[in-house]
Amino acid sequence: MLCIIIIFANRMSEYNFSEIEKKWSEHWQCHSQYAVSEELSKPKYYVLDMFPYPSGAGLHVGHPLGYIASDIFARYKRLKGFNVLHPMGFDAFGLPAEQYAIETGKHPAETTNNNIERYKSQLKNIGFCYDWSREIKTCDPKYYKWTQWFFLKLYNSWYSDDTNKAEPIESLILQFEKGKKNSYEKPWNELTELEKQNEISKYRLAYKSESYINWCQALGTVLANDEVVNGLSERGGHLVERKLMSQWFLRITKYADRLLQGLETVDFAESLKEMQRNWIGRSEGAEIDFKIDLLQDDIIKVYTTRPDTIFGVSFMVLAPEHAIAEKITIPQKSKEVADYINYCKTRSELERKSEIKDISGVFTGAYCIHPFSNKKLPVYISEYVLTGYGTGAIMAVPCGDSRDHTFAKKFGIEIINIFENTDVSFQAYEEKSGIITNSKSEIISLNGLNINDAKNKVICEVEKRGIGCRKINFRMRDAGFSRQRYWGEPFPIYYKNGLEYAYSLEDLPITLPQVNSYKPTGDGKSPLSAIENWVNLPGGFERETDTMPGYAGSSWYYLRYLDPHNESEFCSKKNSDYWNQVDLYIGGAEHAVGHLLYSRMWCKVMFDLGYISFDEPFKKLVNQGMIGGEVFYFYYNQEKREAYSNNLPIDKSNLLQFKVPNEYVSDEETFEENGITSFCNEFIQFKDFKFLKSNNTFTFEKAITKMSKRLRNVVNPDEIIAKYGADTFRMYEMFLGPIEMDKPWNTKGIDGVSRFLKRLWSYCIDENGKYIPDESKPCEESLKTINRTIKKISDDIEKLSLNTCISNFMICFNELQSQKCKSTEIFEKYFIILSPFAPFIAQEFWHKAGKQDSVFNCEYPEIDEKYLLDDTFNYPVSVNGKTRTLIQFHKNAIQADIEPIVLSDEKIKKWVDGKSIKKFIFVKGRIINLVIE
RNA sequence: GCCCGGGUGGUGGAACUGGUAGACACGCAGGACUUAAAAUCCUGUGGCUUCGCGGCUGUACGGGUUCAAGUCCCGUCCCGGGUACCA
């Protein structure tokens, strides 16, 4: 009986995280602890996470990394007196759900909602302070009604170069009516409706045009880039080719300059800004017309950023898609050219850009005329020239461009050098400085000019002659906004007789109809096109059957959180004025260009149209790194039917690799007991294999990759939380390393954090569950410790250096422990600063300490500056840069005080050993260094 | 290919603006407690060398700048992300 009581008492005193976490979760939910409203009396702060796509694999330990960081920051800001908005939602339209629907026939809405529920319960386990009453799902018609509304705003707007902003399309029509030139060169009111539409279409921010897609004839569908591997479909390995299709686009290029300028006003990592700048790719150059030999009426217009190199041109290159390519090809070459163009259709843009070591191309047999020298220049077609950039044609300068150089070498074309004092016989001279030479004709001479002056002279000359002009170009293209898919927002557009009509706000949302099959229609159209009673409208009208891409909903979601239940507006002006920009946005660097550029553009459009009063959505952005999962491989020989342990001395170069699902791998990274047998039961292709071991173990090669369902290396946070608790999980994720760095997941290290919280618990709570710290006066040392920790933690949170925060909590507690500190005055401060990291245990301590209110309603403790400074500093003293000893000096000591003491120090005397001292370096508060011979 | 990151003990990582490399943890080794194990606590722990004091060496690799380099500069290698329809 006694025994039982003792055991019971012991159990009472243990840190029972599951009980504590359950209790406070329920308590906070009942008291709507995290609901926020627009409190004008407090300064606001908006902390946002990039919302997840709810995949079928569930949340893995990589997702919460950023969420935990932002949660800590949100809770910290709250302690600092801010009214903090911290919402969460789901990016719920997407390809995987549709693919799953094709395979299983289950409606994507159903699977998506199941996945969302799973994600939500997983997120709720981790103790985030999200205001769930503001949750959004992009696939919810109540949400996508407004995504469609945004589309209509883009559709019904144009970019005015006069006012340099987006304006309603009516102002454009008014200008046309007043006589603004149109491309039909007829008065506006004499144009047909179709002509008017075509003309306006050239201005709309959302417009229809043609572009290439990945078409797979065998699957009868359009494929996403990542569904294409080496020119073949990932599923089935069928041939994929590029096909021209009519699609919706967003005219983001009109915002290129403002997207560049806006970067100066936001706090993003410099590297990320650089990526965006490169993506936008602003370049200054010229368009120059080249006459074609034997063809009177046509010209080839090239874009070049290096007009200064015009005398270095020795050939011309057209993109395979260039409209004139076939026309100029001479009959003897037409078969060869047609074959080459067909080959290019099977090549992805990525392949075309990257595989330039062995550059391909074909001669058309045609020649251009050099505008200044009248020299004949052969015209080639090559895939390294892309149709979407510039004019789709280049003047090739092998002496100044490495791709042109490679091409010239391969096709035996002359390399003309025009740079003074350079040798271009082996590689191109690509520096942006130098003097031009060998560049003279009857018309112009560039000899002796530097590159910039030569550029200007050439541009002036071509402009004077009317054969070209100065031109600013962007690498960025207008954003493709159509998908031939079911699971996306339908366009609020319908047609009749080739004319487009837009729905109005009252008609929204245009909801997705039920379909019987999610399979592609085989003709490249979306599955929606097969539903006749949805497509066909009364009066002979037909709906648009494409849907919007995944980034549509995510381009504006940060605004919907501000007013999520508003049914008459996407967000009231009052709310968007109060919450304003996102103050801190945390998410993966993989969205560096796509999502971030689109949402920045949409924000600017809404700003231009007066719906919001800021033109950058995200004030500060932090990119979290990826948490990789472990994958284990073994090598095998198919013919010999042998598999080899990694610790055998084998030559892996001719062997095949096999990834083993992680459940077969033991903690020692070998096959589990009987693992080989059960492995072969699943992967029967290895049934008759010999598994060759070394030292009686079969070990694997390890690598770190993305966690994915397919590799079966997903680590589920639920399991970790069940075993260690949410507080430990949160702290451990932060303890792993700097937030923005990629890192591998390894559960082994979690014991350190777990032990820390257990030690803290048993230090503060006795066997009977009573709170130990008392009213005793803290000692000087403990006051130093806690004040320094408060300072360090708040400095580090502001920098989002959360891994060092965890270390400092440990260091602080280790110090308090060795000081035998029992003062509740100290510990209460400690619990407050700990609460953003480990909210449950902090609240439990707070409660045990007899406090009635919540630890989250406290104020962040003040720092008493007097405890931060030391009177003395332990100077490292080095001789010739190598530290030899430490000597303590007063912090105000100057070199004159210090020098004699240092020189008479025994250790230092030994190292100086009578040699003369050339220099005595004293850096106050840092170091002393003696330079001797 | 191009653009952007990263590379520090057996492992995750720390190191302010160039100023004691390896904080804080994990793991491992030894010890205490226990009949035993687990848990917990204590000690040690980059490598080489030395009985020890100590010495040498060391931040992917090769150079450079500096009194002083993980940190700055030049070159190389490897790994990750993006490359426009994965999200």
Side-chain angles (χ1 to χ4, degrees):
Chain A
M1 188 61 190
L2 188 66
C3 243
I4 294 164
I5 291 167
I6 290 166
I7 291 163
F8 188 63
N10 265 331
R11 291 196 60 172
M12 277 285 289
S13 68
E14 265 175 26
Y15 167 42
N16 187 338
F17 53 80
S18 46
E19 201 173 278
I20 294 169
E21 289 173 8
K22 184 163 177 278
K23 177 173 83 181
W24 291 112
S25 293
E26 284 166 5
H27 181 88
W28 292 331
Q29 193 156 0
C30 284
H31 292 77
S32 301
Q33 178 79 30
Y34 302 131
V36 289
S37 58
E38 292 68 37
E39 267 180 74
L40 297 169
S41 58
K42 275 192 188 170
K44 72 93 192 185
Y45 203 89
Y46 185 2
V47 182
L48 182 64
D49 295 303
M50 283 185 191
F51 61 169
Y53 174 79
S55 86
L59 200 71
H60 62 67
V61 293
H63 289 108
L65 186 76
Y67 305 159
I68 295 168
S70 65
D71 196 67
I72 289 167
F73 203 84
R75 288 172 181 272
Y76 165 78
K77 276 287 171 185
R78 195 173 287 200
L79 294 174
K80 285 277 191 178
F82 289 85
N83 186 30
V84 180
L85 176 61
H86 187 215
M88 183 45 96
F90 298 94
D91 184 15
F93 277 130
L95 213 45
E98 182 154 341
Q99 192 52 42
Y100 189 71
I102 292 172
E103 286 160 18
T104 65
K106 284 204 178 117
H107 196 286
E110 189 191 320
T111 49
T112 302
N113 274 323
N114 290 344
N115 290 347
I116 287 177
E117 285 313 308
R118 172 140 182 243
Y119 266 59
K120 261 170 86 170
S121 80
Q122 289 180 295
L123 288 168
K124 285 185 172 172
N125 272 340
I126 307 172
F128 294 126
C129 63
Y130 293 131
D131 179 357
W132 282 108
S133 71
R134 291 173 184 258
E135 175 191 353
I136 54 173
K137 305 172 193 173
T138 56
C139 66
D140 181 346
K142 286 193 195 120
Y143 180 87
Y144 72 69
K145 167 183 175 178
W146 296 105
T147 306
Q148 291 169 336
W149 177 86
F150 267 82
F151 172 82
L152 288 177
K153 284 294 147 196
L154 292 159
Y155 178 76
N156 286 316
S157 303
W158 68 296
Y159 199 89
S160 162
D161 291 325
D162 299 329
T163 58
N164 204 22
K165 62 181 190 126
E167 291 183 10
I169 208 77
E170 288 76 19
S171 78
L172 174 71
I173 295 171
L174 200 67
Q175 286 194 14
F176 278 131
E177 285 169 353
K178 282 185 178 165
K180 179 184 169 79
K181 268 179 75 177
N182 63 62
S183 53
Y184 295 93
E185 297 185 353
K186 282 195 280 185
W188 185 252
N189 56 17
E190 287 175 21
L191 296 185
T192 65
E193 279 308 302
L194 189 62
E195 285 169 335
K196 282 182 182 169
Q197 175 187 295
N198 290 344
E199 191 63 19
I200 295 170
S201 198
K202 289 177 186 154
Y203 292 84
R204 293 186 191 275
L205 292 180
Y207 65 98
K208 271 198 125 169
S209 176
E210 299 213 303
S211 90
Y212 288 90
I213 44 84
N214 302 313
W215 173 249
C216 180
Q217 184 68 49
L219 294 174
T221 187
V222 177
L223 296 177
N225 285 339
D226 73 331
E227 295 177 300
V228 183
V229 181
N230 300 326
L232 302 175
S233 64
E234 193 185 29
R235 287 187 303 279
H238 305 290
L239 195 70
V240 177
E241 56 175 34
R242 287 153 58 77
K243 185 177 166 186
L244 205 56
M245 268 177 80
S246 172
Q247 321 221 44
W248 286 97
F249 285 86
L250 301 186
R251 208 177 294 280
I252 192 171
T253 48
K254 273 288 174 191
Y255 279 88
D257 264 323
R258 281 172 63 190
L259 287 169
L260 273 178
Q261 288 155 15
L263 288 175
E264 307 304 320
T265 68
V266 291
D267 182 5
F268 296 1
E270 201 44 50
S271 59
L272 186 126
K273 289 188 184 182
E274 197 58 28
M275 275 193 259
Q276 293 206 358
R277 286 189 199 109
N278 291 335
W279 183 266
I280 294 167
R282 185 182 195 275
S283 67
E284 292 179 8
E287 277 184 1
I288 303 175
D289 299 342
F290 282 71
K291 280 193 194 139
I292 302 165
D293 194 26
L294 307 175
L295 265 179
Q296 292 297 316
D297 300 330
D298 293 288
I299 51 139
I300 292 175
K301 193 185 273 296
V302 302
Y303 174 73
T304 175
T305 56
R306 297 293 302 275
D308 54 302
T309 62
I310 191 149
F311 283 96
V313 178
S314 53
F315 60 104
M316 308 287 288
V317 189
L318 304 178
E321 298 85 357
H322 198 287
I324 209 165
E326 285 178 59
K327 185 171 178 188
I328 62 167
T329 301
I330 59 166
Q332 301 92 299
K333 287 279 183 184
S334 61
K335 168 93 174 50
E336 206 183 324
V337 166
D339 287 350
Y340 183 71
I341 291 174
N342 277 334
Y343 159 77
C344 292
K345 282 184 184 162
T346 68
R347 302 271 289 164
S348 75
E349 207 172 292
L350 184 58
E351 288 167 333
R352 287 175 53 173
K353 280 186 286 187
S354 50
E355 292 169 16
I356 58 157
K357 268 188 190 148
D358 185 32
I359 210 156
S360 72
V362 65
F363 180 42
T364 60
Y367 291 86
C368 274
I369 307 296
H370 192 288
F372 295 159
S373 69
N374 283 326
K375 234 170 138 175
K376 278 171 77 175
L377 305 166
V379 181
Y380 285 78
I381 294 170
S382 172
E383 61 173 349
Y384 82 93
V385 175
L386 300 176
T387 182
Y389 183 64
T391 59
I394 62 158
M395 55 178 225
V397 183
C399 69
D401 182 285
S402 60
R403 288 163 305 178
D404 297 348
H405 195 277
T406 313
F407 194 90
K409 281 262 169 184
K410 174 154 182 183
F411 288 87
I413 307 167
E414 183 189 10
I415 296 170
I416 308 165
N417 193 8
I418 51 146
F419 299 109
E420 217 168 86
N421 301 325
T422 58
D423 178 8
V424 297
S425 41
F426 297 104
Q427 69 180 74
Y429 175 79
E430 292 191 294
E431 305 299 312
K432 301 280 184 294
S433 63
I435 301 296
I436 305 290
T437 184
N438 197 22
S439 295
K440 192 179 174 197
S441 73
E442 284 166 18
I443 292 166
I444 193 171
S445 169
L446 309 174
N447 289 348
L449 295 180
N450 69 37
I451 286 174
N452 260 340
D453 293 345
K455 272 184 188 169
N456 283 325
K457 192 165 180 186
V458 170
I459 294 171
C460 289
E461 190 61 33
V462 295
E463 284 184 335
K464 199 174 94 191
R465 295 179 165 266
I467 54 163
C469 60
R470 188 180 295 276
K471 179 92 196 239
I472 288 167
N473 236 331
F474 294 96
R475 203 184 69 93
M476 181 168 69
R477 308 195 292 255
D478 279 345
F481 202 66
S482 277
R483 300 291 182 266
Q484 291 72 39
R485 295 286 174 181
Y486 171 76
W487 193 230
E489 300 87 347
F491 282 90
I493 294 286
Y494 54 98
Y495 303 94
K496 187 177 181 178
N497 301 330
L499 286 173
E500 279 164 19
Y501 299 91
Y503 281 101
S504 55
L505 178 58
E506 302 79 68
D507 305 314
L508 303 183
I510 309 299
T511 53
L512 282 168
Q514 290 294 327
V515 293
N516 295 324
S517 163
Y518 305 94
K519 290 211 170 71
T521 52
D523 58 0
K525 288 187 183 161
S526 102
L528 291 177
S529 67
I531 316 202
E532 286 182 16
N533 60 7
W534 186 80
V535 174
N536 296 319
L537 297 165
F541 293 95
E542 281 185 15
R543 288 188 207 256
E544 169 65 64
T545 58
D546 281 358
T547 52
M548 298 187 203
Y551 67 82
S554 62
S555 291
W556 72 280
Y557 75 113
Y558 64 96
L559 291 168
R560 189 60 180 170
Y561 287 130
L562 310 183
D563 200 359
H565 307 294
N566 195 330
E567 292 194 4
S568 57
E569 291 169 283
F570 71 96
C571 170
S572 73
K573 189 80 181 352
K574 182 177 131 274
N575 281 26
S576 68
D577 280 347
Y578 174 73
W579 291 112
N580 209 270
Q581 286 169 290
V582 175
D583 293 282
L584 175 65
Y585 192 29
I586 297 187
E590 65 270 25
H591 301 289
V593 280
H595 160 63
L596 285 169
L597 280 175
Y598 300 133
S599 33
R600 291 182 60 221
M601 175 208 172
W602 286 42
C603 180
K604 288 178 192 301
V605 175
M606 287 302 119
F607 172 78
D608 288 353
L609 298 177
Y611 289 101
I612 52 177
S613 35
F614 45 93
D615 80 336
E616 281 291 341
F618 315 116
K619 210 173 188 171
K620 180 183 168 83
L621 174 92
V622 172
N623 290 120
Q624 98 229 21
M626 273 198 349
I627 291 193
E630 293 171 329
V631 259
F632 298 91
Y633 305 88
F634 65 78
Y635 290 84
Y636 66 98
N637 185 316
Q638 186 69 38
E639 286 80 48
K640 289 191 183 165
R641 321 230 30 99
E642 284 175 349
Y644 308 99
S645 170
N646 196 50
N647 53 10
L648 287 166
I650 41 166
D651 175 18
K652 292 166 182 170
S653 51
N654 297 316
L655 298 176
L656 297 166
Q657 237 183 17
F658 192 86
K659 283 173 197 155
V660 180
N662 288 25
E663 65 259 32
Y664 292 109
V665 181
S666 73
D667 285 349
E668 288 76 38
E669 301 176 3
T670 63
F671 259 123
E672 296 274 10
E673 277 289 296
N674 306 321
I676 296 176
T677 319
S678 50
F679 171 80
C680 293
N681 283 337
E682 182 177 353
F683 299 95
I684 46 170
Q685 66 266 42
F686 293 108
K687 262 228 147 112
D688 61 338
F689 269 60
K690 251 203 220 148
F691 284 76
L692 302 178
K693 301 176 182 176
S694 167
N695 297 329
N696 211 27
T697 57
F698 192 96
T699 62
F700 302 108
E701 181 166 285
K702 187 166 95 174
I704 305 293
T705 62
K706 258 185 186 173
M707 284 191 188
S708 78
K709 197 179 178 180
R710 194 164 53 90
L711 292 174
R712 286 206 246 159
N713 65 345
V714 171
V715 181
N716 184 341
D718 297 357
E719 292 163 21
I720 313 282
I721 289 168
K723 198 165 167 199
Y724 295 96
D727 284 334
T728 298
F729 176 69
R730 289 167 64 106
M731 291 188 85
Y732 182 56
E733 284 242 341
M734 294 300 98
F735 194 49
L736 282 176
I739 183 87
E740 66 276 13
M741 219 91 94
D742 290 349
K743 46 203 156 261
W745 175 263
N746 184 346
T747 311
K748 285 176 190 158
I750 201 168
D751 282 330
V753 173
S754 170
R755 280 176 206 154
F756 161 68
L757 288 182
K758 277 187 200 159
R759 285 210 314 272
L760 180 64
W761 178 268
S762 56
Y763 192 81
C764 294
I765 307 295
D766 72 12
E767 306 84 60
N768 304 315
K770 285 252 161 56
Y771 182 67
I772 298 169
D774 52 31
E775 298 301 320
S776 61
K777 205 168 166 291
C779 69
E780 198 74 358
E781 283 306 306
S782 299
L783 285 165
K784 263 191 184 176
T785 296
I786 193 71
N787 276 287
R788 285 171 189 202
T789 304
I790 295 167
K791 172 91 166 61
K792 182 79 178 128
I793 297 293
S794 63
D795 286 354
D796 284 1
I797 294 179
E798 298 279 358
K799 285 189 293 186
L800 277 165
S801 172
L802 302 176
N803 53 329
T804 51
C805 285
I806 310 298
S807 301
N808 279 291
F809 282 121
M810 292 173 175
I811 293 167
C812 177
F813 174 59
N814 290 347
E815 283 179 20
L816 292 176
Q817 222 178 350
S818 61
Q819 293 154 5
K820 304 216 160 33
C821 176
K822 294 284 175 193
S823 164
T824 193
E825 179 188 330
I826 302 285
F827 278 96
E828 281 170 23
K829 287 180 177 167
Y830 190 85
F831 301 147
I832 298 173
I833 61 174
L834 181 67
S835 69
F837 295 82
F840 297 105
I841 199 173
Q843 174 62 37
E844 181 67 11
F845 281 136
W846 197 248
H847 178 69
K848 293 257 188 201
K851 310 283 179 183
Q852 291 308 308
D853 61 344
S854 166
V855 69
F856 313 125
N857 298 334
C858 294
E859 275 177 36
Y860 197 84
E862 294 285 334
I863 297 158
D864 192 339
E865 298 281 340
K866 77 175 178 224
Y867 294 110
L868 299 184
L869 297 166
D870 269 323
D871 297 343
T872 59
F873 178 71
N874 224 5
Y875 278 90
V877 184
S878 40
V879 179
N880 281 348
K882 285 187 182 159
T883 307
R884 297 303 178 186
T885 189
L886 296 172
I887 308 178
Q888 201 170 58
F889 291 108
H890 193 270
K891 66 172 189 212
N892 293 329
I894 55 166
Q895 188 170 336
D897 306 332
I898 283 170
E899 200 167 329
I901 301 170
V902 168
L903 294 179
S904 61
D905 181 88
E906 281 306 315
K907 279 188 183 150
I908 295 303
K909 264 160 86 179
K910 195 184 112 197
W911 282 99
V912 173
D913 190 28
K915 291 184 187 111
S916 71
I917 290 163
K918 281 162 77 179
K919 220 170 181 181
F920 188 100
I921 291 157
F922 171 69
V923 186
K924 199 175 169 188
R926 289 213 190 276
I927 203 164
I928 295 160
N929 189 15
L930 306 188
V931 186
I932 62 171
E933 287 178 29

